[in-house]
Amino acid sequence: MTKTLHHRACHLCEAICGLTIETQDHEDGSRQILSIKGDAQDSFSRGHICPKAVALQDIQNDPDRLRQPVRKVDGQWQPIGWDEAFELVAERLSAIQAEHGKNAVAVYQGNPSVHNYGLMTHSNYFLGQLKTRNRFSATSVDQLPHHLTSYLMYGHGLLLPIPDIDHTQFMLILGGNPLASNGSIMTVPDVEKRLKALKARGGKLVVVDPRRSETAAMADQHLFVRPGNDAALLLGLLNTLFDEGLTRESPLPVNGMEQVKQAIASFTAESMAARCGVAAAEIRQLARDFAAAESAVCYGRMGVSTQAYGSLCHWLIQLINLVTGNLDRVGGTLCTSPAVDLVANTSGGHFNVWQSRVSGLPEYGGELPVAALAEEMLTPGEGQIKALISVAGNPVLSTPNGGQLERALDGLEFMVSVDLYINETTRHADLILPPTAPLEHDHYDTTFNVFAVRNVTRFNQPVLAKPEGALDDWEIFVGLARAFAAKNGTELKPTMAPQQMIDMGLRAGPYGDRSEHKLSLAALHEAPHGIDLGPLRPNLAARLKTDSKAIEAAPQLLVADLARFAAEPQPSAGELVLIGRRHVRSNNSWMHNYQRLVKGKPRHQLLMHPDDMAGRGLADGQRVRVQSRVGMIEVEAVASDEMMPSVVSLPHGWGHARPGVQMGIASAQPGASANDLTDERQLDAVSGNAALNGVPVRVEAA
Ligand SMILES: Nc1nc2c(c(=O)[nH]1)N[C@H]1C(S)=C(S)[C@@H](COP(=O)(O)OP(=O)(O)OC[C@H]3O[C@@H](n4cnc5c(=O)[nH]c(N)nc54)[C@H](O)[C@@H]3O)O[C@H]1N2
Ligand SMILES: Nc1nc2c(c(=O)[nH]1)N[C@H]1C(S)=C(S)[C@@H](COP(=O)(O)OP(=O)(O)OC[C@H]3O[C@@H](n4cnc5c(=O)[nH]c(N)nc54)[C@H](O)[C@@H]3O)O[C@H]1N2
Ligand code: SF4
Ligand SMILES: [Mo]
C-alpha cells in the first residue's frame, strides 16, 4: 500500500491553482485519492485552493458519471461499443449531410473545451471535416466582445491585455466578481490576497456592479450601475479624461484618436449620469482618480460583456487604458508572452464573413452566435439544422431561452454528445460518448497561460490510470474523424498526440530552442510545480497584427454603435431587470452533483432589494413567480440590501428537475434556470453576444 504525492494544476476554472493530491495504491491494483490540497510550492498559486478542487475526487467517484458510451433505444439508455458508436455517428451525419447539405449538422462546444487541451488540439480533426457553417460555442454567451474588440483594435482576437494586478495602484473593475469566480480573462490564483496587497501598498480598488458583490464589499469604493448601462459611465469617464486634459501620451502607434474624441464629444459625464445611475460629479472624480494614479487598470468582465452594449463597453475600456497611458504598461494592462504562443502562430481571425441563415447574425472566427441555435433548428428551409454534436456543453441551461432550445432539440433527426453526464442537454441525444475523468488524463493549459497575470507554464500528468476501454476526449475525436473519413472516402491527415503538439509548441515558442530557457515537454516534466517565466512586460507594439501595425482606436463598427446606444429607449421607473451571479461552490451548470459543494443553505435563490419586495407585498423567503418575454420560473426570493433597487439577481446553471436527467444529487435540489428567462433576441448587436444581464422581468407571489 504505497502512498504517492502528485502535483497538478486544477483545470476547473481559469485560476489554474496548483494542487497536491495524495493517493494510495492498493494490492488489487486500484488507486484511491486520500486528499486534495493546495500546492504551496506552486509559486503562482502559493497554496491557494477553493472547494471545487476538492470535489475533483467526487467527479472521479460519482456513480452518475458515464463510463462507457450509451445509446438511446426506445427511450432507454443502453451500452454500446466505441467502434459501433463511431460508425453510427459517421453513418447518421453523412446521411443527413447528403440529404440536407453540410450546414444541416451543427456543433456546440461548451466551456470545458477550453479547460481540456485534448479538445483544443483534436476536436477539429473531426469537426473540421463536417465543413458546416453552423458552429456555435459558449464564447457567444461569454467573452465574444473581448475577442472582437481586440481583433478590431489590435488585429488579433487573442491579443487580450491582462490587468497587471500585482503592480497596479488603481484597479477599476466593472462587471467582474473575482472573489466568487476566481478571475476571468485574468488568470489570477489567490485573487483576494492580491487585491489585499494592492490596498496594502496604498492602491485603490473600485468596483462597479449592480450588486454589492463579494469583491465590491472589499473595495475602497463601490458604485451601483444600472444593468446594461455601463457604456454611459465609461463614456462619461473617457469624455472627462479628454475634457479635463487628464490624458497621458503613449509610445504605442495609434490611428484614429481624433475620430474617437469627436465621436464621444457629446457624451459628457453630465449627460450620461441618469443613464448609468452614477452622479456626474462621481463620474468626473473617478476619472480624475484613475488618471492621477501612478498606474491604473480598467478591467471589465462578464457583467459588461454579456449585455446589450458588450462590445461598446470593451472598446471604451481599452480606450480608457490607452489614453491614460496604462495600456501595455507595468501596473496597467499587458499582454502575456506565453510559452506556447497562440497569437504568433495564428492569423488574427475573421468577422462577419458569413451570417446566420434566419437572423443574419455575424460569424466570428468561424462561429455563429449561439442565441441563433434554436431558431436555426426550428425554422424550415434550405440549411435548417437537423443534427447536433454537443461537446462539453449544456446549452439548455447556459444559453438564452433554454426552454426554446429544449423544444428544438426534440425535433432533431440525430444528436450526439461528448460528455460525462446525462444532463438537461445530453438527455436529448441519441448517443453519448463519455471521455476519461479529469484526473485520468494529462493536461497542458493552452488557454489560461495566455490570460495569466504572470507568464507561467506547466505540464500536468495524469494522477489515476486510464480505466480499461476508456478514451480521452481527443481519442474520441480521432475515432470519430476516422470513421467519418472512411464513410466519405476522404483522406485524413495523420495526427499526433496532444503531448507531442505541446512539445513542438514549447520548442518553437519564445522560451524554446532558440532561447536560454530551452523549454520542452521534457523540461516541464522536471518541474511538477510549474515554471514561472516572470512578470508581464510591455510587448504590444511588436505583437500588433493590424494591417497598419498600429492600434486602431476608432473601428467603424464600434464608432457606429454609439448611435444605437444614444437612441436606446429607457425602461420606465419601477421595472425590474434580472442579472446573474456566481458562487465559489458552483461551476456553471455541471458541478451540482457533489454533496460536498451543494450542502448547506441553497445558493440559487433570487436576490431582491427589500423595498422592491415590500412594494410587491412579498415576504423574505417567499416563493415567487418570475416572468420575462420568453418564460416563467418559480424560485424563492431573498431580501438583500446588496442589490441595487429595481435589480434582481439569479445565478445560472440550475434547473435540474427536468425529466430524464440522471444526476441524483443535483436533481434533489434543482433550483430554476435563469436561462428560462433570458431572451435570445436580446443581444449585443455588434457581436451577436447574448445579453444575459439586464433582462426585464416581472416578479409576483407564486
Ligand atoms: N444567465 C447566464 N447564463 C450564462 C452565464 C451567466 O453568467 N448567466 N454564463 C455563461 C458562461 S460565461 C459560460 S462559459 C457558459 C457555460 O455553458 P456551457 O459550456 O454550455 O455549460 P457548462 O455548464 O460549462 O457545461 C459543461 C458540460 O461539459 C461536461 N464536461 C465537463 N468536463 C468535461 C470534459 O473534460 N470533457 C467533456 N467532453 N465534457 C465535460 C459537463 O458534464 C457539462 O455537461 O454559460 C453561460 N451562461
Ligand atoms: N465559482 C465559480 N467560478 C467560476 C465560474 C462559476 O460558475 N463558478 N464560471 C467561470 C466562467 S465560465 C467565467 S466566464 C467566469 C466569469 O467571471 P466574472 O466575470 O467574475 O463573473 P461573475 O462572478 O458572474 O461576475 C459578474 C458580475 O457582474 C455583475 N453584473 C451583472 N450585470 C451587470 C451590468 O450590467 N454591469 C455591471 N457593471 N455589472 C454587472 C454581477 O452582479 C456580478 O457580480 O467565472 C469563472 N469562474
Ligand atoms: S480557484 Fe478553485 S476551481 Fe479555480 S483553479 Fe483554483 S482550485 Fe480550481
Ligand atoms: Mo464562461
Side-chain angles (χ1 to χ4, degrees), residues 334-416:
L334 292 160
C335 289
T336 53
S337 181
V340 176
D341 192 347
L342 301 180
V343 172
N345 299 337
T346 54
S347 76
H350 48 82
F351 175 66
N352 204 14
V353 178
W354 63 86
Q355 296 78 28
S356 68
R357 178 181 62 110
V358 179
S359 289
L361 300 181
E363 63 80 32
Y364 170 80
E367 288 179 359
L368 293 166
V370 71
L373 179 57
E375 68 181 14
E376 292 293 334
M377 292 175 177
L378 293 169
T379 313
E382 170 106 36
Q384 182 183 5
I385 294 172
K386 302 281 187 182
L388 176 70
I389 306 163
S390 81
V391 184
N394 192 2
V396 166
L397 293 194
S398 52
T399 66
N401 200 353
Q404 174 182 248
L405 179 62
E406 201 158 34
R407 292 188 290 280
L409 294 179
D410 275 335
L412 292 176
E413 290 180 16
F414 182 70
M415 175 171 164
V416 53

Side-chain angles (χ1 to χ4, degrees), residues 605-661:
Q605 302 105 324
L606 186 79
L607 301 184
M608 198 167 178
H609 192 275
D611 293 350
D612 289 326
M613 293 193 82
R616 288 165 181 75
L618 301 172
D620 187 18
Q622 180 171 353
R623 279 195 78 74
V624 295
R625 195 171 290 149
V626 190
Q627 201 164 347
S628 72
R629 182 190 73 87
V630 309
M632 198 263 290
I633 60 168
E634 273 189 32
V635 283
E636 190 185 315
V638 169
S640 167
D641 66 3
E642 287 168 5
M643 295 309 302
M644 183 175 184
S646 299
V647 183
V648 291
S649 158
L650 189 72
H652 73 289
W654 297 87
H656 306 298
R658 274 128 161 122
V661 170

Side-chain angles (χ1 to χ4, degrees), residues 52 142 177 180-181 208-210 228 230 301-302 582-583 586 588:
K52 290 186 292 302
D142 190 348
N177 183 15
S181 68
V208 176
D209 197 306
D230 299 78
R301 206 33 213 109
M302 274 300 286
R582 282 174 163 73
H583 191 280
S586 176
N588 295 324

Side-chain angles (χ1 to χ4, degrees), residues 148-162:
L148 181 61
T149 305
S150 280
Y151 167 68
L152 295 171
M153 296 181 75
Y154 311 133
H156 198 297
L158 285 177
L159 268 180
L160 300 169
I162 308 299

